[in-house]
């Protein structure tokens, strides 16, 4: 592609490719796709996106096509790979000028340079790093920033390579540039700290941006650039200096407003400091040992004392707590039970931890966590009132504990309490003792303190097993608190029922359960929605518990089921409906057929909920789970659900429908339990088997369930089922047997064997294409015992139950093997007898013996 003549044409097509008109856009995209493999195309793209006079959208598109081309055609072994000459020209052009004025395009250029560096640096591109180092030294602000941005992306990409040779190259690179990276970061940091009080926001933001980028570079070099970083003085000097820098940046936050770009960048920089420490601890725990004391002192002072007041923010507190947690839990710092078996490094780290976590320190951390961080905030209480369902979802924390303060504080409390339970148990017990008896409903602070302490007692349930007489506490303290119906007491009603849920599997006498069920029935009628939802959660934990007894639960079943159903109707959020459905499912599963008198209302409601949840596949999964337990509970009566049930199964297992991605597994399980509980196969139930052939083609992890479903149809209605579907099913099986695992082959053959067993006339005819493969496997002595055993089972069924078909099969195989029938039969019997020991199941051994004995009256010369 000639550059001069092609540039105008490519520019025109790129312009068309930015059009919103599909009639213009599609042909342009097709033309660009054809040019991707043309020599010189990427040189033209480079000229276009480095021409700052052109339209931004066109330049943006040129960068993206260039970046995609690196992924597809830069490697030497790639089809239509770029020539070495063109790559050399492109590499030189990419680092000629770092003067891109548009931030988004500059970022994309930095990323694509990093992609090339991943493949070519340093062997084919030794000048890249020296060029970047020189460019970040220039005085021009724009060039300096763009070079620093590129330097970061290149460092990040090279640090991510994992092959040993690549790691060695990065170690060499880090050793060579670490000193420069440190001085660069210190320079930009000092510049920022000098300018921060100037009041010139643009200048402060510019220097802060450079500080952030240089710190990102240093983070990658520090964490990934050294095998034994503790032996490098510059690395350890940088890490020790982080704490002082953090203090300086936290103090700077007093001089920067809360709602501007500078504040956002400042907080990102502060968080990045903590990420350096966390990453370094994760990757190099023993190299981190000299930093343990300082890290704990810094984190505890800012999080648990007045030092942090006015300068800390939520994400920073979370990061500090994560740092404490990682040090407390780190297995590298935990000595063996026999101290002599521990390494000196482990013992040293353990000694530092023990010296820091003294009784006063642990006591203060525990009290501060409970009395400060566990307290419900004004914001949370407002959310409780205005959006109760949102509050319950927010409270669960989920997988977001690293980034959300409340879940993070609870995890830290659990870890510290577990590690130092002998020290902290008396502290928590003392806090419990001070809260005995009822609390004044007018004293909101006292109510919130009690809520926080109860939260701690619930989180530490397993650690407090021997220290708390929970049964007495339940009867004397907790149960009376559940009966306080004042509106301001609702945080405690919710917390107490949650607390009981935490202890139910730890220490709770079975005799007390009826009292708890009575309380749950009352709380499911509470005026507050949050209390009712929390009560449903505790109910689920109760019925899931190992010591659950149905006889104790049945007197309350009707009331609870009715109230849960009302709750399901009342809540509106998808997550909450899913949660209540799971509780209902658990109840149905545990009481099984005893649920029959009470499910009418739920059965009528589920079709409406299914229709309403068309855009919420996860809610539909919960509905499927509920239907599974309903069908199992209703047994043969589940046929009354077929008008709703069968279309649900049809949709959930239809691979041509997009929702199947979410619904398939539960849909197949529902299909199976429907068959297992069906008194007969209805035409509609038979019709949905049309979905099975595409499912078998998927060869997914659901194949085992598919085979169970096929067996279900065979046992329920073999003649009608085989006449309708056996031909297609046999074709699917033949395809499966070519590529399936040994275990899969056995599953397929077991289905065939069941068909022969249930219907000895139709079975052999319908699965005739598979039987020669079975015969051949026996004659040739299949080497896998479990497969051979199944082969013999299938052939035994044919021989014993359909002699005429066996004779025709023997005749067919004799022609294929070019042998006399007598000789082939003799070979088969010889192999059969020789492999009888492969058959481990008594029923199959008996079948084989009877099949062989059936040949004794034969006129065959072999006998």
């Amino acid at each position: 592609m000639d550059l001069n003549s092609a540039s105008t044409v490519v520019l025109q097509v790129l312009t068309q490719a930015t059009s919103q008109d599909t009639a213009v856009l599609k042909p342009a995209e097709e033309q660009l796709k054809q040019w991707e493999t043309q020599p010189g195309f990427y040189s033209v793209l480079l000229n276009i996106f480095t021409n700052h006079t052109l339209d931004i959208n066109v330049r943006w598109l040129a960068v993206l096509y260039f970046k995609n081309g690196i992924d597809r055609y830069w490697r030497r072994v790639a089809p239509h790979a770029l020539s070495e000459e063109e790559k050399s020209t492109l590499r030189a052009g990419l680092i000629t000028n770092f003067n891109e004025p548009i931030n988004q395009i500059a970022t994309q250029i930095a990323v694509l340079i990093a992609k090339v560096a991943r493949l070519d640096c340093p062997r084919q591109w030794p000048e890249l790093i020296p060029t970047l180092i020189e460019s970040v030294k220039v005085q021009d602000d724009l060039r300096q920033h763009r070079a620093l941005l590129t330097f970061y992306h290149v460092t990040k990409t090279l640090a991510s390579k994992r092959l040993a040779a690549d790691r060695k190259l990065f170690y060499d690179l880090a050793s060579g540039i670490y000193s420069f990276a440190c001085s660069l970061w210190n320079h930009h940091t000092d510049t920022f700290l000098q300018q921060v009080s100037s009041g010139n926001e643009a200048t402060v933001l510019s220097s802060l941006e450079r500080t952030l980028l240089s710190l990102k570079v240093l983070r990658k070099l520090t964490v990934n650039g050294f095998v034994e970083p503790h032996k490098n003085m510059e690395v350890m000097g940088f890490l020790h200096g982080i704490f002082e820098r953090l203090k300086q940046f936290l103090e700077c936050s007093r001089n920067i407003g809360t709602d501007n770009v500078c504040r956002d960048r400042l907080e990102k920089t502060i968080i990045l400091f903590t990420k350096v420490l966390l990453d370094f601890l994760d990757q190099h725990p023993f190299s981190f040992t000299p930093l343990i004391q300082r890290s704990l002192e810094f984190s505890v002072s800012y999080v648990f004392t007045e030092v942090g007041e006015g300068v800390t923010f939520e994400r920073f507190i979370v990061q500090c707590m994560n740092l404490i947690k990682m040090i407390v839990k780190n297995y590298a710092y935990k000595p063996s039970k026999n101290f002599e078996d521990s390494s000196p490094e482990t013992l040293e780290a353990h000694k530092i931890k023990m010296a820091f976590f003294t009784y006063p320190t642990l006591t203060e951390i525990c009290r501060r966590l409970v009395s400060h961080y566990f307290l419900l905030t004004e914001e949370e209480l407002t959310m409780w009132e205005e959006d109760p369902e949102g509050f319950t979802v927010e409270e669960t924390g989920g997988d977001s504990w690293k980034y959300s303060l409340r879940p993070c504080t609870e995890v830290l409390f659990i870890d510290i309490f577990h590690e130092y339970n002998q020290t902290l148990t008396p502290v928590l017990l003392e806090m419990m003792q001070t809260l005995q008896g009822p609390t004044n409903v007018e004293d909101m602070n006292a109510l919130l303190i009690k809520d926080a302490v109860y939260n701690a007692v619930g989180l530490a349930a397993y650690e407090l097993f021997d220290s708390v007489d929970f049964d007495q506490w339940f009867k004397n303290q907790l149960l009376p608190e559940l009966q306080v119906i004042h509106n301001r007491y609702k945080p405690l009603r919710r917390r107490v029922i949650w607390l009981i849920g935490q202890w139910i599997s730890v220490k709770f006498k079975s005799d007390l359960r009826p009292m708890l069920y009575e309380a749950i029935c009352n709380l499911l009628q509470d005026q507050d929605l949050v209390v009712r939802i929390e009560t449903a959660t505790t109910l689920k934990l109760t019925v899931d518990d190992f010591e659950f007894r149905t006889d104790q639960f049945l007197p309350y079943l009707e009331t609870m089921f009715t109230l849960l159903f009302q709750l399901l109707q009342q809540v509106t959020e998808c997550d909450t409906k899913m949660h209540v459905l799971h509780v209902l499912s658990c109840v149905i599963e545990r009481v099984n057929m005893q649920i029959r008198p009470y499910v009418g209302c739920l059965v009528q409601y589920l079709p409406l909920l299914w229709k309403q949840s068309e855009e919420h596949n996860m809610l539909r999964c919960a509905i499927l789970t509920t239907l599974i337990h309903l069908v199992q509970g209703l047994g043969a009566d589940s046929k009354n659900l077929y008008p709703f049930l069968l279309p649900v199964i049809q949709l959930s297992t239809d691979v041509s429908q997009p929702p199947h991605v979410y619904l398939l597994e539960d849909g197949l399980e529902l299909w199976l339990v429907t068959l297992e509980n069906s008194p007969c196969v209805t035409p509609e139930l038979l019709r949905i088997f049309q979905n099975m052939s595409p499912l078998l083609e998927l060869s997914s992890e659901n194949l085992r369930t598919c085979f169970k479903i096929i067996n279900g149809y065979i046992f329920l209605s073999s003649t009608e089922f085989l006449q309708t579907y056996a031909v297609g099913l046999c074709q699917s099986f033949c395809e499966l047997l070519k590529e399936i695992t040994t275990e899969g082959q056995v599953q397929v053959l077991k289905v065939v064997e069941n068909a022969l067993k249930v219907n000895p006339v139709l079975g052999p005819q319908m699965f005739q294409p598979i039987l020669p493969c079975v015969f051949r496997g026996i004659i040739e002595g299949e080497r896998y015992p479990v497969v051979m055993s199944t082969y013999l089972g299938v052939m035994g069924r044919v021989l014993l139950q359909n002699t005429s078909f066996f004779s025709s099969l023997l005749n067919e195989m004799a022609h294929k093997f070019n042998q006399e029938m007598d000789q082939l039969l003799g070979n088969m019997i010889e192999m059969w007898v020789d492999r009888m020991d492969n058959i481990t199941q008594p029923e199959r051994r008996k079948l084989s013996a009877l099949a062989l004995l059936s040949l004794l009256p034969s006129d065959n010369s072999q006998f």
Side-chain angles (χ1 to χ4, degrees), residues 370-396:
V370 175
S371 63
H372 179 73
Y373 289 106
F374 280 11
L375 291 181
L376 288 170
T377 64
E378 283 293 331
E379 182 183 347
E380 288 169 325
L381 292 171
T382 301
M383 187 178 187
W384 183 326
E385 295 295 334
E386 296 177 355
D387 181 14
E389 290 185 57
F391 174 82
T392 58
V393 172
E394 191 78 19
E395 275 286 288
T396 58

Side-chain angles (χ1 to χ4, degrees), residues 718-724 726 755-756 758-768 802 805:
S718 63
T719 301
E720 188 178 4
F721 170 69
L722 291 174
Q723 287 175 339
T724 309
L756 300 175
V758 174
N759 200 319
V761 178
L762 270 181
Q765 297 172 10
M766 295 301 183
F767 291 104
Q768 190 276 334
N802 198 328
F805 187 88

Side-chain angles (χ1 to χ4, degrees), residues 434-472:
T434 62
L435 299 173
Q436 292 300 315
T439 303
N440 185 357
V441 294
E442 301 302 325
D443 189 346
M444 196 62 190
N445 186 59
L447 291 172
L448 294 179
I449 288 287
K450 182 178 272 193
D451 173 84
V453 173
Y454 283 4
N455 187 15
V457 175
L459 294 173
Y462 285 97
E463 308 298 336
L464 295 172
F465 179 86
D466 293 321
S467 304
V468 174
D469 185 347
F470 191 79
D471 297 327
Q472 286 298 317

Side-chain angles (χ1 to χ4, degrees), residues 10-11 14-15 17-18 32 41-42 44-51 54-69 105 108-109 112:
V10 173
L11 180 60
L14 281 170
T15 304
T18 62
L32 289 168
F41 176 61
Y42 294 96
V44 173
L45 290 178
L46 175 64
N47 289 341
I48 289 173
F49 71 70
T50 54
N51 185 345
L54 298 177
D55 180 73
I56 292 174
N57 293 325
V58 172
R59 294 173 57 227
W60 169 263
L61 197 59
V63 171
L64 293 185
Y65 269 93
F66 193 106
K67 188 173 72 170
N68 294 337
I105 295 177
Q108 291 302 318
I109 292 173
L112 69 86

Side-chain angles (χ1 to χ4, degrees), residues 613-631:
S613 62
E614 190 172 355
E615 301 299 321
H616 304 283
N617 287 311
M618 298 312 295
L619 177 54
R620 285 194 160 185
C621 286
I623 297 172
L624 289 172
T625 303
T626 304
L627 285 171
I628 289 168
H629 296 307
L630 261 179
V631 170

